């Protein structure tokens, strides 16, 4: 059941960053304001709890908190949809296809059909899963179930054309373009016209959440003075809107280097309200889209290339504290990668030298603060993230992040504080082991996390790592892989490489995600005749350095097997 107004009000109590989404030092920072819609502006699909309360007579507060009442409310909505279609309240699930399609909340037939087809696939195959709140749910398989799909024609839903979109046939997708318009004095928005992948590789896909509702988000991306992203995915039914072609560069990640080489997906929702927004329909639709894009552009399906916005690096020292933290600790990366067909499995024994973070989502429930009221504990919930300590003891201080807190301040357990936590799918070099604890190299420090054998939070892995070349006590770390100054032509201003306040120290190792050339897209004008892609001779390695990825110059480090 949906109750968006309550979720929207609660979400206003926290902040997940103040970044400039464009992240290009060659242009002024862009910080447009997003407006929160009033309850009266929200569509019916986001207010089904109110309707369910009217149908059942069960108070809204009980529908929110009582599982049995919540299911009864959902059943009442489904029955109402069936009756509206003029269909009987049959005991045969095959007779309910049209009602299930309407139950999705979709306003178009393609999305409704995709939702209903997923539901019936699950009924046919059966399913068992531990929910985000720790309850075990088992559904017996009903093989051979053939729903009456002809009922879709009775729903009266609109037809949506996928013309112009870059989406797989397995999802419902429509083209809602972001405007490329000139306004003001030498200003334009809300993306840059390019020619990828001919001009630059598309190396990354960035997973965001909107921190707003679908309708408000769609309005924002159609504003030429705002920022942009490539796709928006709707929570209730997984419907997709594409706004910016993959060949063009959207302004979404807060780091111009990442923007220039990525595709951004915004998911309707709030990182502090996962149950209200991070739906199975949206997870499945998103995974299908990502798998399609990854195959089309040769993007590896791993956490070095499928980034959360919270793992995008700050491009310069001053930008680090303001970087966004979505989709947050409650996004289920383990389930997401299972849907992608790339589950996180052990790839080595204990001597492999690496670990892949992989807690059990449902039972892993670290405490966070700041979801509703600053300083107060969030409700217990499954999480993809594991907390890091300075010693193998939960009473020891959390790992500090000098980039987030230049004055050396302590890390916190705030839901938006990514200083001392690692995330499902991320890989790190093992620095030590002690009983139920494992230490990794993280932000230039030895960081400990609980990893008991009976309930592990990581699995063993092997791969390639970097360490400083012999004779170097430390090497600089960068938030962007920009070319050396000699690579710039006369008509392109040289961009600073800008080392961050972090250091990769001798004796430490960090997992390599990719080798990339120093590269900069110069695009500061509406007309594209002055646009240039500058490629240097310097090579960089993308590494998993802390919670966020970073870059080091290949000339500064040794590449070696992790088991060495």
């Amino acid at each position: 059941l949906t109750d968006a107004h309550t979720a929207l009000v609660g979400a206003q109590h926290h902040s997940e960053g103040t970044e400039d989404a464009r992240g290009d030092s060659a242009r002024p920072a862009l910080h447009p304001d997003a407006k929160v819609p009033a309850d009266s502006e929200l569509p019916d699909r986001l207010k089904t709890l109110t309707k369910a309360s009217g149908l059942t007579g069960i108070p809204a507060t009980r529908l929110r908190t009582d599982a049995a009442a919540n299911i009864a409310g959902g059943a009442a909505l489904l029955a109402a949809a069936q009756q509206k279609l003029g269909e009987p309240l049959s005991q045969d699930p095959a007779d309910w296809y049209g009602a299930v399609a309407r139950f999705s909340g979709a306003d178009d037939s393609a999305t409704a059909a995709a939702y209903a087809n997923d539901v019936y696939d699950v009924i046919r195959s059966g399913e068992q899963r531990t929910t985000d709140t720790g309850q075990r749910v088992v559904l017996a398989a009903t093989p051979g179930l053939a729903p009456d799909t002809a009922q879709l024609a009775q729903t009266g839903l609109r037809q949506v054309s996928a013309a112009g979109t870059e989406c797989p046939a397995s999802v419902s997708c429509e083209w809602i373009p972001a405007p490329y318009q000139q306004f003001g004095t030498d200003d334009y928005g809300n993306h840059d016209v390019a020619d990828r992948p001919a001009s630059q590789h598309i190396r990354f896909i960035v997973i965001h959440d909107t921190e707003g509702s679908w309708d408000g988000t769609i309005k924002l991306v159609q504003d030429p003075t705002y920022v942009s992203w490539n796709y928006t995915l709707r929570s209730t039914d997984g419907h997709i809107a594409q706004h910016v072609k993959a060949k063009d560069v959207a302004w979404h990640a807060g780091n111009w280097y990442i923007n220039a080489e990525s595709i951004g997906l915004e998911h309707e929702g709030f990182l502090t309200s996962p149950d209200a927004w991070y739906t199975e329909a949206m997870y499945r639709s998103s995974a299908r889209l990502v798998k399609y894009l990854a195959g089309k552009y040769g993007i590896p399906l791993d956490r070095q290339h499928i980034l959360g916005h919270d793992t995008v690096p700050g491009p310069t020292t001053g930008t680090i504290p303001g970087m966004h933290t979505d989709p947050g600790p409650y996004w289920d990366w383990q389930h997401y990668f299972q849907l992608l067909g790339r589950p996180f499995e052990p790839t080595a024994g204990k001597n492999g030298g690496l670990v892949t973070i992989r807690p059990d989502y449902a039972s892993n429930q670290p405490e966070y603060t700041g979801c509703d009221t600053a300083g107060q504990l969030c409700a217990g919930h499954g999480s993809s993230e594991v907390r890091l300590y300075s010693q193998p003891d939960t009473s020891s201080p959390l790992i500090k992040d000098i980039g987030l807190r230049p004055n050396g301040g302590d890390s916190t357990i705030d839901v938006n504080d990514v200083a001392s936590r690692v995330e499902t799918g991320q890989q790190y070099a093992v620095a030590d082991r002690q009983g139920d604890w494992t230490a990794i190299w993280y932000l230039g420090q030895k960081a400990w996390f609980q990893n008991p054998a009976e309930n592990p939070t990581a699995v063993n892995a092997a791969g390639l790592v970097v360490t400083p070349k012999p004779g170097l006590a430390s090497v600089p770390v960068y938030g962007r892989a920009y070319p050396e100054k000699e690579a710039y032509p006369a008509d392109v201003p040289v961009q600073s490489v800008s080392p961050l306040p972090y250091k990769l120290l001798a004796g430490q190792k960090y997992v390599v995600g990719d080798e990339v050339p120093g590269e900069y897209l110069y695009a500061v004008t509406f007309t594209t005749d002055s646009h240039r892609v500058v490629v240097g001779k310097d090579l960089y390695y993308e590494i998993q350095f802390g919670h966020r990825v970073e870059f080091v110059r290949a000339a500064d480090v040794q590449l070696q097997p992790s088991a060495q």
Side-chain angles (χ1 to χ4, degrees), residues 489-560:
D491 58 346
V492 177
V494 174
Q495 301 299 304
S496 170
V497 176
S498 298
L500 301 178
Y502 310 118
K503 297 289 184 183
L504 196 166
L505 303 177
Q508 298 184 3
K509 299 177 181 180
Y510 293 88
V511 176
V512 172
D514 213 344
E515 181 185 64
V516 297
E519 199 165 280
Y520 173 65
L521 169 62
Y522 180 65
V524 301
T525 57
F526 181 74
T527 56
T528 59
D529 54 315
S530 65
H531 293 191
R532 301 284 186 276
V533 176
V534 182
V535 181
K537 294 181 179 178
D538 265 359
L539 295 176
Y540 290 81
Y541 290 117
E542 177 204 1
I543 61 171
Q544 188 64 63
F545 188 67
H547 186 85
R548 302 181 187 272
V549 299
E550 309 287 357
F551 299 91
V552 291
R553 291 176 66 245
D556 293 336
V557 296
Q558 270 187 321
L559 182 69
Q560 62 187 45

Side-chain angles (χ1 to χ4, degrees), residues 28 62 83 108 131 169 190 194 209 215 290 316 348 382 415 499 507 512 520:
R62 189 174 158 209
Q83 290 172 321
D108 72 276
T131 69
N190 56 14
D209 76 29
D215 299 81
V290 166
T316 60
V415 72
V512 172
Y520 173 65

Side-chain angles (χ1 to χ4, degrees), residues 34 168 207 345 384 399 458 517:
I207 304 300
E345 302 290 354
S384 289
I399 290 295

Side-chain angles (χ1 to χ4, degrees), residues 118-136:
D118 271 350
V119 169
Y120 280 93
D121 282 345
V122 170
I123 295 173
R124 276 189 290 267
S125 62
E127 184 63 273
Q128 53 183 328
R129 190 177 174 197
T130 301
T131 69
D132 297 346
T133 51
Q135 295 174 312
R136 189 66 176 168

Side-chain angles (χ1 to χ4, degrees), residues 248-455:
D248 298 327
V249 177
W251 303 343
H252 61 98
N255 182 316
W256 184 243
Y257 175 79
I258 300 293
N259 281 342
E261 304 203 353
S262 71
I263 293 172
L265 276 59
E266 287 279 3
H267 298 76
E268 182 187 19
F270 296 85
L271 66 86
T272 58
S273 303
D275 293 333
W277 299 96
Y278 294 169
T279 65
E280 183 67 10
M282 188 168 69
Y283 274 125
R284 289 185 179 224
S285 186
S286 179
R288 288 167 182 157
L289 176 60
V290 166
K291 193 171 183 179
Y292 165 81
L293 293 170
K296 185 174 183 179
Y297 297 107
I299 303 169
L301 289 172
D302 58 38
R303 288 304 315 278
Q304 288 87 5
H305 297 87
I306 311 301
L307 303 175
H309 197 173
D310 59 331
T311 65
V312 172
T316 60
T317 296
T319 63
I320 295 173
M323 295 300 290
H324 282 197
T325 59
D326 59 296
Y330 303 125
W331 181 265
D332 192 344
W333 285 107
Q334 184 175 5
H335 180 51
Y336 194 58
F337 269 76
Q338 287 170 338
L339 293 172
L340 287 171
R342 291 290 191 276
F344 301 118
E345 302 290 354
T347 58
K350 265 199 171 183
N351 296 324
L354 308 181
V355 287
T356 304
I357 305 302
R358 197 195 69 179
D360 176 71
Y361 180 86
S363 63
N364 179 54
Q365 298 197 5
E367 290 184 337
Y368 297 102
T369 58
C371 289
D372 296 315
T373 305
Q376 291 189 4
L377 286 177
C378 303
H381 198 283
S383 173
S384 289
E385 297 190 346
V386 176
R387 192 151 286 138
L388 300 174
Y389 297 87
S390 54
Q391 298 294 330
D393 183 344
T394 56
S395 64
S396 68
L398 297 174
I399 290 295
K400 293 184 178 183
D401 184 338
I402 193 66
L404 271 177
R405 295 181 176 85
N407 61 357
D410 293 335
S411 300
T412 72
I413 62 170
D414 185 88
V415 72
N416 289 294
D417 187 347
V418 300
S420 58
R421 61 200 205 201
V422 288
E423 195 167 73
T424 296
Q426 293 179 325
Q427 291 189 323
Y428 298 88
V430 174
D432 203 351
R433 297 183 192 266
Q434 186 173 313
D436 287 344
W437 289 78
T438 299
I440 56 174
W441 294 118
Y442 181 94
L443 294 178
Q445 306 160 74
K446 186 184 282 191
W448 293 88
F449 66 94
Q450 289 180 293
N451 189 24
E454 67 277 6
N455 186 23

